[in-house]
């Protein structure tokens, strides 16, 4: 049997990593923040290219950038090195440094990341572009450099691995996002595999948005044959794996050219982590969700579920989203630079218009290979409203198609939000706690174990957009972790059978 179809493995992983008391988690695991792994991958002895960083604002509002869907179009969509540097910086660059006593300096990055552990690495596979020769590169955000792993045009390897995905075939530049497991499992144990997608998704939200600012088409690819991609990047898949590809721009079709052979080079790096305990359960779910044959990839792309939204709506409150000319004008670049996870909310209300606008623009659609069409989604938004002007406190479901909130239960639920968010006051003090949930039964049935990766990633991209949208209004936001089954129970019967993929709270900062 094809491993991807044995969805018991995804369920075993998911159920075993639920809070509290997931059977795959130890209550006795201890993490000392002072011994946090070094959050940069360092290659020794590779030629490097400095990335010329120019952070100027291009004048595209954040709301527009997070909701844009730039199509593949004939003509020039080839980023030069300056644009590539901006894409990498605004996705995964260092945006601020804060000193904490007992820990020292922490370099924070453009996108939110669980525990600030920064376990996601970015690679670039490109043709010759102005300022950079064709090759395979690793992005070093600390030194703002690209390090060359291979010289030459290797895009064909990725095109083939995706079963000739059209964006990948035409992309002059393809980003690959990888995860170094132990840099996150050191704190979060086996649940760290969920975090791989959470923390990759928040970065991808930024990449999609900054690519749109430069009018470059981009698409999220989760379906690919894993092995050639990992081999191309010289990864040891017991330690580090490719999670997603993101082809950017448009150029002549690369298919038809001879595909170069690739093999592992065993390039020298500094140790990937000071925590070197491999997690067999993560290896298991990752292998079971890996695709080994092109037929599986093609099958996978064909099987994207048809999403049908129930038309039976209870009490519906229309969103008051601002139209294009009423949205905040803060540029994407300025918002990414000042984004940070809020550490304390004030309990003050945000307006219905702000809330509606953030939700609306964050959920317009994601160009992704696992969705039948742009605008479909594997994710549903369930919300606890604590303090939004003109929206009674209670629990709600967001109907994306009709752009209305359906009231599920009226009531004051700050204490519930606090409890669902692992007893963290942030959820009680924020204006709204948003739970991004997925009907995993349906997703896994269609997409197999690989669907688990897709659902986690899509939720996190929306989560990343909610972060950006909130900051565009100078509001605060923070991702939170959660008690899985309590969330489903609270929103049931509406949410019966759905699983939480991502949680985020938004509100006014203190
Ligand atoms: C998916 C996700 C879950 C998070 N969970 C928590 C949490 O449970 N509690 C918390 O205080 N912060 C949480 N955070 C915030 C991170 O700690 C924060 O992103 C990280 O320290 C980096 O800081 P920055 O977001 O300000 O750049 C979470 C962030 C993400 C993306």
């Amino acid at each position: 049997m094809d491993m991807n179809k044995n969805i018991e493995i995804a369920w075993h992983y998911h159920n075993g990593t639920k809070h509290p008391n997931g059977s795959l988690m130890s209550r006795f695991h201890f993490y000392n923040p002072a011994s946090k792994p070094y959050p940069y991958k360092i290659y020794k002895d590779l030629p490097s290219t400095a990335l010329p960083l120019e952070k100027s604002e291009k004048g595209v509002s954040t709301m527009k950038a997070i909701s844009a869907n730039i199509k593949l179009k004939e003509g020039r969509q080839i980023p030069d090195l300056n644009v590539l540097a901006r894409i990498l910086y605004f996705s995964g660059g260092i945006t601020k440094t804060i000193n904490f006593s007992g820990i020292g300096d922490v370099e924070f990055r453009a996108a939110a990341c669980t525990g600030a552990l920064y376990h996601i690495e970015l690679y670039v596979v490109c043709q010759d572009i102005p300022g950079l020769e064709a090759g395979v590169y690793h992005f070093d955000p600390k030194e703002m450099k690209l390090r060359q792993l291979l010289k030459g045009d290797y895009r064909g390897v990725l095109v083939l691995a995706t079963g000739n995905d059209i964006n990948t075939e035409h992309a002059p530049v393809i980003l690959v996002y990888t995860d170094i497991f132990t840099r996150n499992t050191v704190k979060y144990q086996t649940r760290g595999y969920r975090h791989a997608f959470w923390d990759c998704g928040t970065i991808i939200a930024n990449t999609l948005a900054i690519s749109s600012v430069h009018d470059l088409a981009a698409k999220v690819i989760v379906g690919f044959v894993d092995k050639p991609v990992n081999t191309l990047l010289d990864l040891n898949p017991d330690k580090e794996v490719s999670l997603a590809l993101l082809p950017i721009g448009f150029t002549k079709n690369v298919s038809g050219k001879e595909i170069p052979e690739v093999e592992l080079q065993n390039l020298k790096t500094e140790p990937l982590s000071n925590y070197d305990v491999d997690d067999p359960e993560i290896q298991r779910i990752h292998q079971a969700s890996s695709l080994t044959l092109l037929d599986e990839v093609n099958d996978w792309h064909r099987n994207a579920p048809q999403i049908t939204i129930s038309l039976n709506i209870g009490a519906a409150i229309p969103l008051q989203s601002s139209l294009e000319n009423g949205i905040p004008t803060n540029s994407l670049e300025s918002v990414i630079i000042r984004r940070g996870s809020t550490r304390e909310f004030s309990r003050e209300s945000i307006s219905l218009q702000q809330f509606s606008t953030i939700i609306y623009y964050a959920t317009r659609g994601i160009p992704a290979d696992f969705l039948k069409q742009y605008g479909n989604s594997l994710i549903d938004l369930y919300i606890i409203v604590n303090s939004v002007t003109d929206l009674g406190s209670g629990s709600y479901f967001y109907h994306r198609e009709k752009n209305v909130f359906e009231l599920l239960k009226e009531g004051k639920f700050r204490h519930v939000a606090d409890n669902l968010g692992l007893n963290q006051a942030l959820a009680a003090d924020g204006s709204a706690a948003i739970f991004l949930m997925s009907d995993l039964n349906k997703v896994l049935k269609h997409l197999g174990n690989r669907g688990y990766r897709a659902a986690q990633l899509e939720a996190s991209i929306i989560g990343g957009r909610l972060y950006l949208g909130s900051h565009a209004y100078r509001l605060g936001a923070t991702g939170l972790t959660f008690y899985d089954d309590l969330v489903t129970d609270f929103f049931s019967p509406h949410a019966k059978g759905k699983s939480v993929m991502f949680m985020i709270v938004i509100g006014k900062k203190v």
Side-chain angles (χ1 to χ4, degrees):
M1 179 184 181
D2 152 5
M3 280 280 269
N4 186 48
K5 295 199 172 127
N6 183 6
I7 60 170
E8 285 312 310
I9 298 182
W11 278 120
H12 172 76
Y13 172 79
H14 185 70
N15 290 330
T17 53
K18 284 179 175 172
H19 280 322
N21 308 326
S23 60
L24 305 180
M25 313 277 285
S26 160
R27 278 189 296 130
F28 302 106
H29 181 80
F30 173 73
Y31 167 66
N32 175 3
S35 62
K36 176 174 166 173
Y38 191 62
Y40 301 98
K41 183 171 184 180
I42 308 290
Y43 283 92
K44 295 179 182 169
D45 320 321
L46 289 188
S48 67
T49 304
L51 288 164
L53 183 57
E54 182 266 295
K55 300 186 197 169
S56 67
E57 299 172 32
K58 300 294 175 200
V60 177
S61 75
T62 302
M63 296 301 178
K64 210 164 163 214
I66 62 174
S67 59
N69 178 27
I70 311 288
K71 304 244 167 54
L72 280 181
K73 48 191 172 221
E74 302 285 339
R76 246 186 107 71
Q77 271 201 61
I78 301 180
D80 62 13
L81 184 62
N82 295 308
V83 170
L84 180 60
R86 284 170 56 84
I87 291 173
L88 293 169
Y89 176 77
F90 287 109
S91 298
I94 300 171
T95 47
K96 63 179 180 243
T97 304
I98 301 179
N99 186 273
F100 295 93
S101 70
I103 299 179
D105 282 352
V106 177
E107 291 170 328
F108 288 86
R109 311 251 187 120
C113 177
T114 51
L117 288 161
Y118 304 116
H119 47 117
I120 305 297
E121 299 287 334
L122 268 72
Y123 288 81
V124 176
V125 180
C126 65
Q127 64 171 50
D128 280 332
I129 60 170
L132 188 70
E133 65 175 356
V136 176
Y137 297 89
H138 172 254
F139 170 52
D140 174 354
K142 173 102 175 146
E143 302 214 349
M144 272 307 282
K145 281 187 173 153
L146 287 175
R147 296 232 153 62
Q148 192 180 54
L149 280 70
L150 284 167
K151 183 182 158 90
D153 190 350
Y154 284 86
R155 289 172 301 149
V157 176
L158 300 184
V159 171
L160 184 64
T162 63
N164 290 66
D165 165 76
I166 181 163
N167 286 62
T168 314
E169 275 184 334
H170 283 280
V173 173
I174 304 159
L175 301 188
V176 188
Y177 299 74
T178 72
D179 180 46
I180 297 176
F181 297 133
T182 50
R183 289 216 317 240
N184 193 269
T185 55
V186 64
K187 179 171 182 190
Y188 298 104
Q189 307 178 63
T190 310
R191 197 167 159 103
Y193 190 64
R194 302 188 188 199
H195 296 207
F197 300 96
W198 296 356
D199 299 325
C200 180
T202 57
I203 300 175
I204 289 181
N206 286 18
T207 314
L208 290 171
I210 187 70
S211 300
S212 85
V213 164
H214 290 282
D215 205 23
L216 294 164
K219 179 174 169 188
V220 183
I221 309 287
V222 174
F224 53 88
V225 183
D226 295 68
K227 193 169 173 199
V229 179
N230 290 332
T231 305
L232 179 67
L233 306 183
D234 197 42
L235 307 181
N236 169 357
D238 289 341
K239 311 273 176 202
E240 181 178 7
V241 296
S242 305
L243 302 175
L245 272 51
L246 200 128
I248 297 177
F250 184 92
T251 186
K252 280 199 286 296
N253 190 335
V254 75
S255 302
K257 287 195 185 164
E258 206 178 307
I259 297 168
E261 291 281 318
V262 287
E263 48 189 46
L264 283 178
Q265 307 184 69
N266 297 314
L267 295 168
K268 285 202 190 101
T269 65
E270 294 289 348
L272 296 183
S273 171
N274 59 4
Y275 177 76
D276 198 22
V277 181
D278 293 338
D279 187 315
E281 293 295 341
I282 290 185
Q283 317 263 2
R284 182 157 179 248
I285 173 67
H286 192 72
Q287 273 161 24
S289 59
S290 289
L291 303 176
T292 45
L293 301 171
L294 266 182
D295 281 352
E296 281 179 78
V297 171
N298 293 330
D299 226 33
W300 197 80
H301 285 137
R302 267 194 300 275
N303 281 342
Q306 190 64 48
I307 314 286
T308 46
I309 305 276
S310 138
L311 295 175
N312 288 331
I313 304 181
I317 296 107
L319 266 72
Q320 290 180 10
S321 22
S322 302
L323 298 172
E324 205 167 302
N325 55 5
I327 57 179
T329 54
N330 294 312
S331 71
L332 178 73
E333 296 88 342
S334 66
V335 165
I336 289 180
I337 286 175
R338 85 176 131 71
R339 188 210 59 79
S341 294
T342 303
R343 302 293 83 194
E344 200 180 349
F345 290 104
S346 72
R347 291 209 167 200
E348 282 169 90
S349 298
I350 61 173
S351 74
L352 178 56
Q353 193 185 40
Q354 289 172 327
F355 189 52
S356 306
T357 308
I358 295 165
I359 301 270
Y360 177 82
Y361 284 94
T363 54
R364 283 316 85 202
I366 294 170
D369 66 338
F370 52 84
L371 299 173
K372 261 229 156 24
Q373 66 207 50
Y374 182 79
N376 270 181
S377 178
L378 307 178
I379 303 302
D380 292 327
L381 269 62
Y382 286 84
I383 305 167
I384 293 181
V385 169
N386 294 328
S387 50
V388 176
T389 318
D390 296 329
L391 191 59
S393 48
S395 63
Y396 291 86
F397 175 73
Y398 172 54
H399 282 266
R400 191 182 290 109
E401 266 72 13
K402 295 192 178 299
N403 203 27
V404 297
F405 292 126
E406 176 182 357
L407 177 65
L408 302 180
K409 235 181 288 176
E410 242 179 294
K412 296 195 183 311
F413 294 126
R414 285 190 192 273
H415 62 291
V416 177
D418 178 306
N419 179 226
L420 300 185
L422 229 66
N423 300 319
Q424 298 181 80
L426 286 159
D429 296 340
S431 295
I434 305 169
F435 299 86
L436 295 107
M437 302 187 70
S438 187
D439 182 349
L440 279 186
N441 287 303
K442 187 170 180 178
V443 170
L444 299 182
K445 187 170 140 230
H446 285 269
L447 296 175
N449 294 318
R450 189 76 160 207
Y452 189 67
R453 299 193 196 177
Q456 291 285 7
L457 193 69
E458 192 200 340
S460 318
I461 296 170
I462 300 171
R465 289 177 169 177
L466 290 166
Y467 256 107
L468 296 172
S470 307
H471 280 80
Y473 274 115
R474 295 189 175 274
L475 298 172
T478 186
L480 283 188
T481 199
F482 42 83
Y483 287 124
D484 298 79
D485 289 341
L486 290 185
V487 178
T488 305
D489 291 348
F490 176 70
F491 289 105
S492 287
H494 199 290
K496 192 161 179 282
K498 295 186 190 172
S499 305
V500 197
M501 301 283 104
F502 196 100
M503 173 181 179
I504 182 166
V505 176
I506 66 183
K508 284 202 175 154
K509 294 178 252 182
V510 166

